[in-house]
Amino acid sequence: MFCSHCGAELPSTANFCPSCGCKSAANTEYPATTPQVQPQPILQQTQPQPAVCPKNYLTESILVTLFCCLPFGIAGIVQAGKVSSLFAAGRYQEAEAAGRQAKTYVNISFYSGLAFGLIYFVFLLIAAASGIEID
């Protein structure tokens, strides 16, 4: 005897199918058609999260804030602070993006501080060459 619902083999004395629990399972012969199997829902595959937190550029952000350009350095510190918290929350792509933004702000701050320093140095050279005293 076979269950009409799931197709499992049954003993002749069974009133219920041990596999699916169908009540009238023992009274039927093996079905002529293959039993319909419910498709399992496809689970969305997620990429495994890396075990290493992306670089946050916090040290670099603090240094360029102190020595180069304050506004861009502060923006770098803010973005660097987001990296660890986003990574801990499992939002790895956003943590990487915040790390890249922090690096961008560090670079902008460094090069703008370097440019202003060079302009100031040239200004001092011109002033010294023309005999102007700068206090």
Side-chain angles (χ1 to χ4, degrees), residues 19-72:
S19 188
C20 69
C22 185
K23 184 176 182 178
S24 60
N27 299 333
T28 60
E29 293 293 322
Y30 185 75
T33 60
T34 309
Q36 296 294 326
V37 178
Q38 296 292 334
Q40 296 293 327
I42 298 173
L43 298 176
Q44 187 178 25
Q45 294 183 1
T46 58
Q47 295 178 340
Q49 181 175 340
V52 179
C53 184
K55 183 162 176 56
N56 63 9
Y57 296 95
L58 183 60
T59 304
E60 294 89 343
S61 297
I62 292 171
L63 290 175
V64 296
T65 301
L66 294 175
F67 299 114
C68 295
C69 182
L70 184 68
F72 291 115

CSV table of all heavy atoms in Angstrom, one decimal, residues 19-72:
chain,number,residue,atom,x,y,z
A,19,SER,N,4.4,9.3,7.3
A,19,SER,CA,5.2,10.3,6.7
A,19,SER,C,4.6,11.7,6.6
A,19,SER,O,5.1,12.7,7.0
A,19,SER,CB,5.6,9.8,5.3
A,19,SER,OG,6.6,10.7,4.7
A,20,CYS,N,3.3,11.7,6.2
A,20,CYS,CA,2.6,13.0,6.0
A,20,CYS,C,1.4,13.1,6.9
A,20,CYS,O,0.8,14.2,7.0
A,20,CYS,CB,2.2,13.2,4.6
A,20,CYS,SG,0.9,12.1,4.0
A,21,GLY,N,0.9,12.0,7.5
A,21,GLY,CA,-0.3,12.1,8.4
A,21,GLY,C,-1.6,12.1,7.7
A,21,GLY,O,-2.6,12.3,8.3
A,22,CYS,N,-1.7,11.7,6.4
A,22,CYS,CA,-2.9,11.7,5.7
A,22,CYS,C,-3.8,10.5,6.2
A,22,CYS,O,-3.3,9.4,6.5
A,22,CYS,CB,-2.6,11.4,4.2
A,22,CYS,SG,-4.1,11.4,3.1
A,23,LYS,N,-5.1,10.8,6.5
A,23,LYS,CA,-6.0,9.9,7.2
A,23,LYS,C,-6.3,8.7,6.3
A,23,LYS,O,-6.3,7.5,6.8
A,23,LYS,CB,-7.3,10.6,7.6
A,23,LYS,CG,-8.2,9.7,8.4
A,23,LYS,CD,-9.4,10.5,8.9
A,23,LYS,CE,-10.3,9.6,9.7
A,23,LYS,NZ,-11.4,10.4,10.2
A,24,SER,N,-6.7,8.8,5.1
A,24,SER,CA,-7.1,7.7,4.3
A,24,SER,C,-6.0,7.1,3.5
A,24,SER,O,-6.2,6.6,2.4
A,24,SER,CB,-8.3,8.1,3.4
A,24,SER,OG,-7.8,9.2,2.5
A,25,ALA,N,-4.8,7.2,3.9
A,25,ALA,CA,-3.6,6.8,3.2
A,25,ALA,C,-3.6,5.3,2.9
A,25,ALA,O,-3.2,4.8,1.9
A,25,ALA,CB,-2.4,7.2,3.9
A,26,ALA,N,-4.0,4.4,3.9
A,26,ALA,CA,-3.9,3.0,3.7
A,26,ALA,C,-4.9,2.3,2.8
A,26,ALA,O,-4.8,1.2,2.4
A,26,ALA,CB,-4.0,2.3,5.1
A,27,ASN,N,-5.9,3.0,2.4
A,27,ASN,CA,-7.0,2.5,1.5
A,27,ASN,C,-6.7,2.6,0.0
A,27,ASN,O,-7.5,2.1,-0.8
A,27,ASN,CB,-8.3,3.2,1.8
A,27,ASN,CG,-8.7,3.0,3.3
A,27,ASN,OD1,-8.3,2.0,3.9
A,27,ASN,ND2,-9.5,3.9,3.8
A,28,THR,N,-5.6,3.1,-0.3
A,28,THR,CA,-5.3,3.3,-1.8
A,28,THR,C,-4.1,2.5,-2.2
A,28,THR,O,-3.2,2.2,-1.4
A,28,THR,CB,-5.1,4.8,-2.1
A,28,THR,OG1,-4.0,5.2,-1.3
A,28,THR,CG2,-6.3,5.6,-1.7
A,29,GLU,N,-4.1,2.2,-3.5
A,29,GLU,CA,-2.9,1.6,-4.1
A,29,GLU,C,-1.9,2.8,-4.5
A,29,GLU,O,-2.3,3.9,-4.4
A,29,GLU,CB,-3.3,0.8,-5.3
A,29,GLU,CG,-4.1,-0.4,-5.0
A,29,GLU,CD,-3.3,-1.4,-4.2
A,29,GLU,OE1,-2.1,-1.6,-4.5
A,29,GLU,OE2,-3.9,-2.0,-3.3
A,30,TYR,N,-0.8,2.4,-5.0
A,30,TYR,CA,0.2,3.4,-5.4
A,30,TYR,C,-0.4,4.3,-6.5
A,30,TYR,O,-1.0,3.7,-7.5
A,30,TYR,CB,1.5,2.7,-5.9
A,30,TYR,CG,2.6,3.7,-6.3
A,30,TYR,CD1,3.3,4.4,-5.2
A,30,TYR,CD2,2.9,4.0,-7.6
A,30,TYR,CE1,4.3,5.3,-5.5
A,30,TYR,CE2,3.8,5.0,-7.9
A,30,TYR,CZ,4.5,5.6,-6.9
A,30,TYR,OH,5.5,6.5,-7.1
A,31,PRO,N,-0.4,5.6,-6.4
A,31,PRO,CA,-1.0,6.4,-7.4
A,31,PRO,C,-0.3,6.3,-8.8
A,31,PRO,O,0.9,6.0,-8.8
A,31,PRO,CB,-0.8,7.8,-6.8
A,31,PRO,CG,0.3,7.7,-5.9
A,31,PRO,CD,0.3,6.3,-5.3
A,32,ALA,N,-1.1,6.4,-9.8
A,32,ALA,CA,-0.6,6.3,-11.2
A,32,ALA,C,0.3,7.5,-11.5
A,32,ALA,O,1.2,7.4,-12.3
A,32,ALA,CB,-1.7,6.2,-12.2
A,33,THR,N,0.1,8.6,-10.9
A,33,THR,CA,0.9,9.8,-11.2
A,33,THR,C,1.8,10.1,-10.0
A,33,THR,O,1.6,9.7,-8.9
A,33,THR,CB,0.0,11.1,-11.4
A,33,THR,OG1,-0.7,11.3,-10.2
A,33,THR,CG2,-0.9,10.9,-12.6
A,34,THR,N,2.9,10.8,-10.3
A,34,THR,CA,3.8,11.1,-9.3
A,34,THR,C,3.2,12.2,-8.4
A,34,THR,O,2.5,13.1,-8.9
A,34,THR,CB,5.1,11.7,-9.9
A,34,THR,OG1,5.5,10.8,-11.0
A,34,THR,CG2,6.2,11.9,-8.9
A,35,PRO,N,3.3,12.0,-7.1
A,35,PRO,CA,2.8,13.0,-6.2
A,35,PRO,C,3.4,14.4,-6.4
A,35,PRO,O,4.5,14.5,-6.7
A,35,PRO,CB,3.1,12.5,-4.8
A,35,PRO,CG,4.2,11.5,-5.0
A,35,PRO,CD,4.1,11.0,-6.4
A,36,GLN,N,2.5,15.4,-6.2
A,36,GLN,CA,3.0,16.7,-6.4
A,36,GLN,C,3.8,17.2,-5.1
A,36,GLN,O,3.3,17.0,-4.0
A,36,GLN,CB,1.8,17.7,-6.5
A,36,GLN,CG,0.9,17.4,-7.8
A,36,GLN,CD,1.8,17.7,-9.0
A,36,GLN,OE1,2.6,18.6,-9.0
A,36,GLN,NE2,1.5,16.9,-10.1
A,37,VAL,N,5.0,17.6,-5.4
A,37,VAL,CA,5.8,18.1,-4.3
A,37,VAL,C,5.8,19.6,-4.3
A,37,VAL,O,6.0,20.2,-5.4
A,37,VAL,CB,7.3,17.6,-4.5
A,37,VAL,CG1,8.2,18.1,-3.4
A,37,VAL,CG2,7.3,16.1,-4.6
A,38,GLN,N,5.6,20.2,-3.2
A,38,GLN,CA,5.5,21.6,-3.0
A,38,GLN,C,7.0,22.1,-3.2
A,38,GLN,O,7.9,21.7,-2.5
A,38,GLN,CB,5.0,22.0,-1.7
A,38,GLN,CG,3.5,21.7,-1.5
A,38,GLN,CD,2.6,22.5,-2.4
A,38,GLN,OE1,3.0,23.5,-2.8
A,38,GLN,NE2,1.5,21.9,-2.8
A,39,PRO,N,7.2,23.1,-4.0
A,39,PRO,CA,8.6,23.6,-4.2
A,39,PRO,C,9.0,24.4,-2.9
A,39,PRO,O,8.1,25.1,-2.3
A,39,PRO,CB,8.5,24.5,-5.4
A,39,PRO,CG,7.1,24.9,-5.5
A,39,PRO,CD,6.3,23.7,-5.0
A,40,GLN,N,10.2,24.2,-2.5
A,40,GLN,CA,10.7,25.0,-1.4
A,40,GLN,C,11.0,26.4,-1.8
A,40,GLN,O,11.5,26.6,-2.9
A,40,GLN,CB,12.0,24.3,-0.8
A,40,GLN,CG,11.7,22.9,-0.2
A,40,GLN,CD,10.8,23.0,1.0
A,40,GLN,OE1,10.9,23.9,1.8
A,40,GLN,NE2,10.0,22.0,1.2
A,41,PRO,N,10.7,27.4,-1.0
A,41,PRO,CA,11.1,28.7,-1.4
A,41,PRO,C,12.6,28.9,-1.5
A,41,PRO,O,13.3,28.4,-0.7
A,41,PRO,CB,10.5,29.6,-0.3
A,41,PRO,CG,10.3,28.7,0.9
A,41,PRO,CD,10.1,27.3,0.3
A,42,ILE,N,13.0,29.6,-2.5
A,42,ILE,CA,14.4,29.9,-2.7
A,42,ILE,C,14.9,31.0,-1.7
A,42,ILE,O,14.3,32.1,-1.7
A,42,ILE,CB,14.7,30.3,-4.1
A,42,ILE,CG1,14.3,29.2,-5.1
A,42,ILE,CG2,16.2,30.6,-4.3
A,42,ILE,CD1,14.4,29.5,-6.5
A,43,LEU,N,15.8,30.6,-0.9
A,43,LEU,CA,16.3,31.6,0.1
A,43,LEU,C,17.3,32.5,-0.6
A,43,LEU,O,18.1,32.1,-1.4
A,43,LEU,CB,16.9,30.9,1.3
A,43,LEU,CG,16.0,29.9,2.1
A,43,LEU,CD1,16.9,29.2,3.2
A,43,LEU,CD2,14.9,30.7,2.7
A,44,GLN,N,17.2,33.7,-0.2
A,44,GLN,CA,18.1,34.7,-0.8
A,44,GLN,C,19.5,34.4,-0.2
A,44,GLN,O,19.7,34.4,1.0
A,44,GLN,CB,17.7,36.1,-0.5
A,44,GLN,CG,18.5,37.2,-1.2
A,44,GLN,CD,18.0,38.5,-0.9
A,44,GLN,OE1,17.4,38.8,0.2
A,44,GLN,NE2,18.2,39.5,-1.7
A,45,GLN,N,20.5,34.1,-1.1
A,45,GLN,CA,21.8,33.9,-0.7
A,45,GLN,C,22.5,35.2,-0.4
A,45,GLN,O,22.5,36.1,-1.1
A,45,GLN,CB,22.6,33.1,-1.7
A,45,GLN,CG,22.0,31.7,-2.0
A,45,GLN,CD,22.8,30.9,-3.0
A,45,GLN,OE1,23.8,31.4,-3.5
A,45,GLN,NE2,22.4,29.7,-3.3
A,46,THR,N,23.1,35.2,0.8
A,46,THR,CA,23.8,36.4,1.2
A,46,THR,C,25.3,36.0,1.2
A,46,THR,O,25.7,34.9,1.4
A,46,THR,CB,23.4,36.8,2.6
A,46,THR,OG1,23.7,35.7,3.5
A,46,THR,CG2,22.0,37.2,2.7
A,47,GLN,N,26.1,37.0,0.9
A,47,GLN,CA,27.5,36.8,0.9
A,47,GLN,C,28.0,36.8,2.3
A,47,GLN,O,27.5,37.6,3.1
A,47,GLN,CB,28.2,37.9,0.1
A,47,GLN,CG,27.9,38.0,-1.4
A,47,GLN,CD,28.5,39.1,-2.1
A,47,GLN,OE1,28.9,40.1,-1.5
A,47,GLN,NE2,28.7,39.0,-3.4
A,48,PRO,N,29.0,35.9,2.6
A,48,PRO,CA,29.5,35.9,4.0
A,48,PRO,C,30.2,37.2,4.3
A,48,PRO,O,30.9,37.7,3.4
A,48,PRO,CB,30.4,34.7,3.9
A,48,PRO,CG,30.8,34.5,2.5
A,48,PRO,CD,29.6,34.9,1.7
A,49,GLN,N,30.0,37.6,5.5
A,49,GLN,CA,30.6,38.9,5.9
A,49,GLN,C,32.1,38.6,6.2
A,49,GLN,O,32.4,37.7,6.9
A,49,GLN,CB,29.9,39.5,7.1
A,49,GLN,CG,30.5,40.8,7.6
A,49,GLN,CD,29.7,41.3,8.7
A,49,GLN,OE1,28.6,41.0,8.9
A,49,GLN,NE2,30.3,42.2,9.5
A,50,PRO,N,33.0,39.5,5.7
A,50,PRO,CA,34.4,39.3,6.0
A,50,PRO,C,34.7,39.5,7.5
A,50,PRO,O,33.9,40.2,8.2
A,50,PRO,CB,35.1,40.4,5.2
A,50,PRO,CG,34.1,40.8,4.1
A,50,PRO,CD,32.7,40.5,4.7
A,51,ALA,N,35.7,38.9,8.0
A,51,ALA,CA,36.0,38.9,9.4
A,51,ALA,C,36.8,40.2,9.8
A,51,ALA,O,37.0,40.5,10.9
A,51,ALA,CB,36.7,37.7,9.8
A,52,VAL,N,37.3,40.9,8.8
A,52,VAL,CA,38.2,42.1,9.1
A,52,VAL,C,37.4,43.4,8.7
A,52,VAL,O,36.9,43.5,7.7
A,52,VAL,CB,39.4,42.0,8.2
A,52,VAL,CG1,40.3,43.2,8.5
A,52,VAL,CG2,40.2,40.7,8.5
A,53,CYS,N,37.4,44.3,9.7
A,53,CYS,CA,36.8,45.6,9.5
A,53,CYS,C,37.6,46.4,8.5
A,53,CYS,O,38.8,46.4,8.5
A,53,CYS,CB,36.7,46.3,10.8
A,53,CYS,SG,35.9,47.9,10.8
A,54,PRO,N,37.0,47.1,7.6
A,54,PRO,CA,37.7,48.0,6.6
A,54,PRO,C,38.5,49.1,7.4
A,54,PRO,O,38.1,49.5,8.5
A,54,PRO,CB,36.6,48.6,5.8
A,54,PRO,CG,35.4,47.8,6.0
A,54,PRO,CD,35.5,47.2,7.3
A,55,LYS,N,39.5,49.5,6.7
A,55,LYS,CA,40.4,50.6,7.3
A,55,LYS,C,39.5,51.9,7.5
A,55,LYS,O,38.8,52.2,6.6
A,55,LYS,CB,41.5,50.9,6.4
A,55,LYS,CG,42.5,51.9,7.0
A,55,LYS,CD,43.8,51.9,6.3
A,55,LYS,CE,44.8,53.0,6.8
A,55,LYS,NZ,45.0,53.0,8.2
A,56,ASN,N,39.6,52.5,8.6
A,56,ASN,CA,38.7,53.6,8.9
A,56,ASN,C,39.4,55.0,8.8
A,56,ASN,O,38.8,56.0,8.8
A,56,ASN,CB,38.1,53.5,10.3
A,56,ASN,CG,39.1,53.5,11.4
A,56,ASN,OD1,40.3,53.8,11.2
A,56,ASN,ND2,38.6,53.2,12.6
A,57,TYR,N,40.8,55.1,8.7
A,57,TYR,CA,41.5,56.3,8.5
A,57,TYR,C,41.3,57.3,9.6
A,57,TYR,O,41.4,58.5,9.4
A,57,TYR,CB,41.2,56.9,7.1
A,57,TYR,CG,41.6,56.1,6.0
A,57,TYR,CD1,40.7,55.2,5.4
A,57,TYR,CD2,42.9,56.1,5.5
A,57,TYR,CE1,41.1,54.4,4.3
A,57,TYR,CE2,43.3,55.3,4.5
A,57,TYR,CZ,42.4,54.4,3.9
A,57,TYR,OH,42.8,53.7,2.8
A,58,LEU,N,41.0,56.9,10.8
A,58,LEU,CA,40.8,57.8,11.9
A,58,LEU,C,42.0,58.5,12.4
A,58,LEU,O,42.0,59.7,12.5
A,58,LEU,CB,40.2,57.0,13.1
A,58,LEU,CG,39.8,57.9,14.3
A,58,LEU,CD1,38.7,58.9,13.9
A,58,LEU,CD2,39.2,57.0,15.4
A,59,THR,N,43.1,57.8,12.5
A,59,THR,CA,44.4,58.4,12.8
A,59,THR,C,44.8,59.5,11.8
A,59,THR,O,45.2,60.6,12.2
A,59,THR,CB,45.5,57.4,13.0
A,59,THR,OG1,45.1,56.4,13.9
A,59,THR,CG2,46.8,58.0,13.4
A,60,GLU,N,44.7,59.1,10.6
A,60,GLU,CA,45.1,60.1,9.5
A,60,GLU,C,44.2,61.3,9.5
A,60,GLU,O,44.6,62.4,9.3
A,60,GLU,CB,45.0,59.4,8.1
A,60,GLU,CG,46.1,58.3,7.9
A,60,GLU,CD,45.6,56.9,8.4
A,60,GLU,OE1,44.6,56.9,9.2
A,60,GLU,OE2,46.2,56.0,8.0
A,61,SER,N,42.9,61.1,9.8
A,61,SER,CA,41.9,62.2,9.8
A,61,SER,C,42.2,63.1,10.9
A,61,SER,O,42.1,64.4,10.8
A,61,SER,CB,40.5,61.6,10.0
A,61,SER,OG,40.1,60.8,8.9
A,62,ILE,N,42.6,62.6,12.1
A,62,ILE,CA,42.9,63.5,13.2
A,62,ILE,C,44.2,64.3,12.9
A,62,ILE,O,44.3,65.5,13.2
A,62,ILE,CB,43.1,62.6,14.5
A,62,ILE,CG1,41.8,62.1,14.9
A,62,ILE,CG2,43.7,63.5,15.6
A,62,ILE,CD1,41.8,61.0,16.0
A,63,LEU,N,45.2,63.6,12.3
A,63,LEU,CA,46.4,64.3,12.0
A,63,LEU,C,46.2,65.5,11.0
A,63,LEU,O,46.8,66.6,11.2
A,63,LEU,CB,47.5,63.3,11.5
A,63,LEU,CG,48.0,62.4,12.6
A,63,LEU,CD1,49.0,61.4,12.0
A,63,LEU,CD2,48.7,63.1,13.7
A,64,VAL,N,45.5,65.2,9.9
A,64,VAL,CA,45.3,66.3,8.9
A,64,VAL,C,44.4,67.4,9.5
A,64,VAL,O,44.5,68.5,9.1
A,64,VAL,CB,44.7,65.7,7.6
A,64,VAL,CG1,45.7,64.8,6.9
A,64,VAL,CG2,43.4,65.1,7.7
A,65,THR,N,43.5,67.0,10.5
A,65,THR,CA,42.7,68.1,11.1
A,65,THR,C,43.6,69.0,11.9
A,65,THR,O,43.4,70.2,11.9
A,65,THR,CB,41.7,67.4,12.0
A,65,THR,OG1,40.8,66.6,11.2
A,65,THR,CG2,40.8,68.5,12.7
A,66,LEU,N,44.6,68.4,12.6
A,66,LEU,CA,45.5,69.3,13.4
A,66,LEU,C,46.5,70.0,12.6
A,66,LEU,O,46.8,71.2,12.9
A,66,LEU,CB,46.2,68.4,14.4
A,66,LEU,CG,45.3,67.7,15.5
A,66,LEU,CD1,46.2,66.7,16.3
A,66,LEU,CD2,44.7,68.8,16.4
A,67,PHE,N,47.0,69.5,11.6
A,67,PHE,CA,48.1,70.1,10.9
A,67,PHE,C,47.8,70.6,9.5
A,67,PHE,O,48.7,71.4,8.9
A,67,PHE,CB,49.3,69.1,10.7
A,67,PHE,CG,49.8,68.6,12.1
A,67,PHE,CD1,49.6,67.3,12.5
A,67,PHE,CD2,50.4,69.5,12.9
A,67,PHE,CE1,50.1,66.9,13.7
A,67,PHE,CE2,50.9,69.1,14.2
A,67,PHE,CZ,50.7,67.8,14.5
A,68,CYS,N,46.7,70.3,8.9
A,68,CYS,CA,46.5,70.7,7.5
A,68,CYS,C,45.3,71.6,7.3
A,68,CYS,O,45.4,72.8,7.2
A,68,CYS,CB,46.4,69.5,6.6
A,68,CYS,SG,47.9,68.6,6.5
A,69,CYS,N,44.1,71.0,7.3
A,69,CYS,CA,42.9,71.7,6.9
A,69,CYS,C,41.8,71.2,7.8
A,69,CYS,O,41.3,70.1,7.7
A,69,CYS,CB,42.6,71.5,5.5
A,69,CYS,SG,41.1,72.4,4.9
A,70,LEU,N,41.3,72.1,8.7
A,70,LEU,CA,40.3,71.8,9.7
A,70,LEU,C,39.0,71.3,9.2
A,70,LEU,O,38.5,70.2,9.6
A,70,LEU,CB,40.1,73.0,10.7
A,70,LEU,CG,39.2,72.7,11.8
A,70,LEU,CD1,39.8,71.8,12.8
A,70,LEU,CD2,38.9,74.0,12.5
A,71,PRO,N,38.3,72.0,8.2
A,71,PRO,CA,37.0,71.5,7.8
A,71,PRO,C,37.0,70.1,7.1
A,71,PRO,O,36.1,69.3,7.5
A,71,PRO,CB,36.6,72.6,6.8
A,71,PRO,CG,37.4,73.8,7.0
A,71,PRO,CD,38.7,73.2,7.6
A,72,PHE,N,37.9,69.8,6.2
A,72,PHE,CA,37.9,68.5,5.6
A,72,PHE,C,38.4,67.4,6.6
A,72,PHE,O,38.0,66.3,6.5
A,72,PHE,CB,38.8,68.5,4.4
A,72,PHE,CG,38.2,69.3,3.2
A,72,PHE,CD1,38.9,70.5,2.8
A,72,PHE,CD2,37.0,69.0,2.6
A,72,PHE,CE1,38.3,71.2,1.8
A,72,PHE,CE2,36.5,69.7,1.6
A,72,PHE,CZ,37.1,70.9,1.2
